[in-house]
Amino acid sequence: MPELPEVEVTRRGIVNALDGFKVIKVFKADVSLRYPLLDNLINIEGATVTKVQRRAKFIIIDTTKGSLLVHLGMTGHFSVLDYKDVDSFEFLKHDHFALFLDNKKAVVLNDQRRFGLVQWFASNEELFNSKHIKDLAPEPLTDDFNDKYLANKLKNKSVAIKKAIMDNHIVVGVGNIYASECLFLSKINPLKLAKDLTKEEISFLITNIKDVLARSIESGGTTIRDFQGADGKLGYFVQHLNVYGHKGKPCPICQTEIEQVVIGGRSTYFCPHCQK
DNA sequence: AGTGGCACCTGTGTGC
DNA sequence: TGCACACAGGTGCCAC
């Protein structure tokens, strides 16, 4: 489900329920997500949350007793709910993990397809050195993601540019929806090989990635099927999508029919006239 | 090393 | 109505 904007919207939706409050109870389901939910998740009980941050599509919850790493996978989402007492809390189907806070808020992770991840680390440092985090590329909304950096990463890359910008070793946070949208705005054919982009195209692409992600965060993310923020609100950036899911519909610029192709096993949408 | 393809899951929509 | 199949916002592992 979630790309960078949806994860950031989720982070903002849970931070006020967590930050500065004490975890009095942890719930974990018996079934595995992408990895098993280990017993050491219980270690967070009694800890006070000190920070809720995001790195790529991961949410990181730092506490006085260690750090929690969470990934939402395709269908994960958090809800912030009120509870009266822990033992009578009624979970929904596919609720796999929950934190019960001393402010009477429950932060509950629901993940239908179970591609998500929840792992406990003894320290923030250990978490950032974990295999999930340590090799991640720069954040797209920082100055580290710039023309010089991307040009260097793309030279000699014999993969479609669409696949390249979804590669976490090149830039993080760009998923299947925003990849199509950014390439449309940049007038770049998604099948074009990464190494064949001109300097100007790389520069324009960076501008559009930053712009699209930032605007989507401000709109509450994109809801295609089931994304919702932790407060249950839907994402309204879907109204600003130009090509994703628009197969056969007219291009908003030239009216040519939007085409769909599969790149790296993922549906990709583009205007064959505007994107060269 | 770089690249392509598939596997991991559940649910929904489509077409026969 | 029922069934089979394709597809869905992500990532990691495997074989070439």
Side-chain angles (χ1 to χ4, degrees):
Chain A
M1 158 174 49
E3 303 183 39
L4 186 149
E6 292 74 39
V7 177
E8 179 59 24
V9 167
T10 298
R11 188 196 69 81
R12 293 179 185 187
I14 62 175
V15 61
N16 287 338
L18 290 168
D19 198 11
F21 296 102
K22 189 183 198 177
V23 178
I24 58 173
K25 179 76 181 174
V26 171
F27 163 80
K28 71 177 189 69
D30 292 330
V31 295
S32 288
L33 301 183
R34 197 196 317 168
Y35 302 97
L37 295 167
L38 299 181
D39 289 340
N40 66 8
L41 289 167
I42 298 299
N43 290 347
I44 201 174
E45 288 184 358
T48 298
V49 176
T50 55
K51 196 174 188 180
V52 181
Q53 45 183 329
R54 178 191 57 73
R55 174 74 174 100
K57 297 171 192 165
F58 290 92
I59 290 172
I60 296 165
I61 301 173
D62 290 321
T63 77
T64 50
K65 292 177 70 181
S67 296
L68 198 61
L69 181 65
V70 180
H71 195 287
L72 301 175
M74 287 278 252
T75 51
H77 68 91
F78 273 116
S79 301
V80 175
L81 303 165
D82 296 311
Y83 75 95
K84 286 199 173 120
D85 76 285
V86 171
D87 295 330
S88 65
F89 189 84
E90 292 192 15
F91 290 101
L92 301 175
K93 191 175 185 182
H94 304 308
D95 281 349
H96 297 299
F97 180 78
L99 299 174
F100 293 90
L101 287 301
D102 65 350
N103 56 5
K104 289 292 176 186
K105 298 286 185 188
V107 176
V108 183
L109 177 68
N110 185 284
D111 185 0
Q112 178 184 103
R113 290 174 73 184
R114 295 197 272 128
F115 291 160
L117 169 156
V118 182
Q119 283 183 3
W120 173 253
F121 293 88
S123 68
N124 184 272
E125 188 184 9
E126 194 180 303
L127 183 152
F128 274 89
N129 283 324
S130 71
K131 67 169 182 177
H132 303 110
I133 302 293
K134 68 178 167 67
D135 295 326
L136 290 175
E139 288 286 327
L141 297 177
T142 66
D143 292 340
D144 290 342
F145 184 58
N146 56 46
D147 293 16
K148 189 179 169 190
Y149 166 82
L150 188 59
N152 189 48
K153 277 288 184 182
L154 297 185
K155 74 176 179 194
N156 305 326
K157 266 267 166 202
S158 300
V159 298
I161 184 61
K162 157 81 163 21
K163 210 178 171 205
I165 58 173
M166 290 179 68
D167 181 341
N168 282 339
H169 298 98
I170 294 176
V171 61
V172 300
V174 179
N176 201 39
I177 295 177
Y178 298 111
S180 281
E181 292 300 314
C182 294
L183 289 166
F184 171 76
L185 294 172
S186 305
K187 302 187 185 299
I188 299 168
N189 188 305
L191 291 159
K192 187 165 183 173
L193 295 186
K195 64 182 180 183
D196 292 338
L197 265 65
T198 64
K199 267 189 174 181
E200 290 71 26
E201 285 174 326
I202 289 173
S203 184
F204 197 28
L205 179 57
I206 287 174
T207 301
N208 284 313
I209 288 174
K210 290 175 187 279
D211 183 59
V212 164
L213 296 180
R215 284 193 294 121
S216 183
I217 291 169
E218 296 312 310
S219 299
T222 297
T223 299
I224 299 290
R225 264 162 295 278
D226 56 4
F227 171 74
Q228 54 187 54
D231 53 6
K233 282 189 187 150
L234 303 181
Y236 289 101
F237 195 73
V238 65
Q239 297 167 7
H240 301 283
L241 297 181
N242 288 296
V243 289
Y244 184 84
H246 289 200
K247 181 186 180 184
K249 294 183 180 161
C251 166
I253 293 178
C254 74
Q255 317 306 316
T256 302
E257 277 193 15
I258 300 300
E259 289 185 10
Q260 178 185 14
V261 292
V262 175
I263 298 174
R266 316 298 300 278
S267 282
T268 307
Y269 301 85
F270 71 106
C271 170
H273 181 257
C274 293
Q275 295 174 255
K276 299 300 182 188

